[in-house]
Amino acid sequence: MKVAVLGASGRAGSEITKELASRGHSVTAIARKPDAIPAASGVTPVAGDASDPAALADLIKGSDAVISALHFDVPAETLLGALKTAGVPRLLVTGGAASLEVAPGVLLFDTPQFPAEWKPIAKGGLTFLDDLRLEKEIDWTFFSPAALIEEGPRTGAYRTGGDQLVVDDKGDSRISFADYAIAMVDELEQHRHSRARFTAAY
């Protein structure tokens, strides 16, 4: 597939770009500082600012899908508008864990354990997901990670869930950036969560 990755120089974005390239996909790796994108066969680094929907539409035109690894300072409306202008049918988003449920009707965001300093950024993810759920034209997927996404090995082993936080037998929820990238590209290829959110953890 031809895939455009937004935020391709960031931690999650660079791993996703690497995973896509390893599977033979053609990647347009978009970042404000494309020099920071690791060189790889099939990867074309491009300078771009996703907050400009008209310019972004030009960069992603011809793609089969866009994967956004951006922070939530670029609203869903902006990205969706760029995809519609460019005629790109699919958007996959690196989401946050804050909107996952830890009990029926109880979001991780609202628990005492959720760090207060993370709330302003996490709130953007909740809003982004709410906006996506109103979208009827673009085929979107919002991928919430485990509660902790960290440096670690590429194992290829993970468990998926829907709107509930996935935890292990110790109650921990974690995944490595490398395995998060595997789960994201698996979703791109297998297309199991159309206009839906999913999560993955060990």
Side-chain angles (χ1 to χ4, degrees):
M1 291 187 214
K2 294 181 178 179
V3 185
V5 178
L6 310 181
S9 63
R11 194 65 194 87
S14 61
E15 285 290 343
I16 291 167
T17 297
K18 187 193 308 181
E19 184 67 26
L20 287 165
S22 74
R23 301 194 198 187
H25 295 287
S26 176
V27 185
T28 301
I30 302 170
R32 289 177 178 172
K33 297 179 180 179
D35 291 346
I37 299 169
S41 177
V43 176
T44 303
V46 176
D49 182 353
S51 64
D52 182 339
L56 180 59
D58 286 340
L59 295 178
I60 64 176
K61 193 173 296 182
S63 300
D64 298 303
V66 170
I67 297 177
S68 173
L70 299 169
H71 296 300
F72 296 114
D73 51 351
V74 179
E77 180 182 10
T78 299
L79 296 188
L80 292 168
L83 266 74
K84 291 172 185 176
T85 299
V88 178
R90 287 185 71 191
L91 173 65
L92 296 91
V93 177
T94 58
S99 58
L100 291 166
E101 292 184 344
V102 295
V106 180
L107 303 184
L108 179 61
F109 182 86
D110 295 322
T111 63
Q113 294 78 22
F114 195 85
E117 63 270 23
W118 293 0
K119 286 202 168 186
I121 295 173
K123 182 65 175 175
L126 272 68
T127 300
F128 200 105
L129 177 57
D130 286 343
D131 291 343
L132 284 180
R133 284 172 166 159
L134 299 174
E135 174 59 33
K136 304 301 182 187
E137 184 178 340
I138 299 297
D139 186 356
W140 59 269
T141 301
F142 189 91
F143 178 16
S144 290
L148 182 61
I149 181 168
E150 57 192 355
E151 300 298 333
R154 182 186 188 279
T155 70
Y158 62 88
R159 295 175 296 140
T160 60
D163 291 321
Q164 289 74 43
L165 188 72
V166 174
V167 298
D168 61 19
D169 54 6
K170 297 179 181 178
D172 295 328
S173 177
R174 49 184 290 274
I175 195 168
S176 70
F177 281 102
D179 285 333
Y180 180 89
I182 290 174
M184 175 66 88
V185 181
D186 284 350
E187 173 60 27
L188 172 75
E189 295 176 345
Q190 298 166 13
H191 208 162
R192 293 179 174 176
H193 299 90
S194 177
R195 294 193 178 91
R197 183 261 291 282
F198 79 105
T199 184
Y202 295 135

